[in-house]
């Protein structure tokens, strides 16, 4: 599935894998392995940005994946996100969709909202918000209709 199909059909909160189709290099080739891992990994879909025009430059639509958090003692020091243009040459796969009834905690309302947390239910989302302080946060429950969007994995209908 292309990045464009992920943009069009995958819901925020979905776990996405991406790959370039090349074989994994042996562990002894550390630099080649690091480059391969950069093009063959995954994360949670946290944002979709529409095409934008800035001056005379056109920025294509994009998707952003949350790849992980780093820190210690319960304190996150570094969040790793990776953004892909819808024109990316990588192959994307939806591994898991957010469960029906789970709640997306978005940093703000609107189309440019970004997922900051995926909670099991509304009570868990509200508890998370009390400790993480997003003053303009919006809670959105995952409905059966939303969870089913693109459930065919991006294949064309027969």
């Amino acid at each position: 599935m292309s990045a464009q199909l992920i943009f069009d059909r995958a819901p925020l909160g979905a776990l996405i894998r991406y790959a370039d189709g090349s074989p994994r290099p042996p562990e002894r080739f550390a630099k080649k392995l690091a480059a391969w891992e950069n093009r063959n990994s995954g994360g949670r879909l946290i944002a979709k940005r529409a095409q934008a025009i800035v001056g005379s430059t056109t920025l294509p639509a994009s998707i952003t994946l949350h790849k992980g958090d780093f820190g210690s003692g319960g304190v996150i020091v570094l969040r790793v996100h990776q953004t892909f243009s819808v024109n990316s040459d990588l192959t994307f796969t939806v591994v898991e969709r957010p469960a029906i009834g789970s709640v997306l905690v978005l940093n703000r309302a609107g189309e440019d909202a970004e997922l900051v947390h995926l909670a099991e239910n509304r009570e868990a989302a509200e508890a998370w918000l009390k400790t993480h302080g997003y003053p303009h946060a919006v809670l959105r429950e995952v409905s059966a209709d939303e969870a089913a969007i693109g459930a065919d994995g991006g294949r064309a209908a027969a």
Side-chain angles (χ1 to χ4, degrees):
M1 154 180 251
S2 69
Q4 180 68 57
L5 281 173
I6 294 293
F7 181 87
D8 292 340
R9 304 178 88 187
L12 289 181
L15 287 177
I16 308 292
R17 299 229 23 106
Y18 58 91
D20 64 5
S22 64
R24 180 185 171 97
E27 296 289 331
R28 68 181 182 269
F29 298 114
K31 288 182 182 179
K32 287 182 181 181
L33 182 59
W36 181 88
E37 288 174 341
N38 192 44
R39 292 184 49 86
N40 296 273
S41 187
R44 187 168 302 279
L45 182 61
I46 61 166
K48 298 178 183 185
R49 303 275 187 251
Q51 175 179 310
I53 298 173
V54 180
S56 62
T57 304
T58 301
L59 302 173
S62 64
I63 58 173
T64 301
L65 303 180
H66 175 245
K67 295 180 71 173
D69 293 331
F70 296 92
S72 65
V75 176
I76 297 171
V77 178
L78 177 68
R79 294 203 118 146
V80 179
H81 295 169
Q82 190 165 9
T83 299
F84 300 91
S85 161
V86 294
N87 303 325
S88 174
D89 63 342
L90 300 173
T91 301
F92 295 81
T93 305
V94 176
V95 177
E96 178 183 308
R97 297 175 180 286
I100 297 169
S102 60
V103 176
L104 305 174
V105 180
L106 304 171
N107 65 344
R108 64 182 170 271
E111 289 186 25
D112 282 343
E114 185 174 300
L115 177 69
V116 292
H117 184 68
L118 179 61
E120 289 183 22
N121 53 45
R122 183 163 292 276
E123 294 79 28
E126 289 169 354
W128 185 88
L129 264 178
K130 285 181 183 176
T131 61
H132 289 83
Y134 282 86
H136 304 291
V138 174
L139 302 180
R140 190 172 81 208
E141 187 170 335
V142 176
S143 67
D145 291 340
E146 186 177 31
I149 293 173
D152 62 356
R155 294 177 290 280

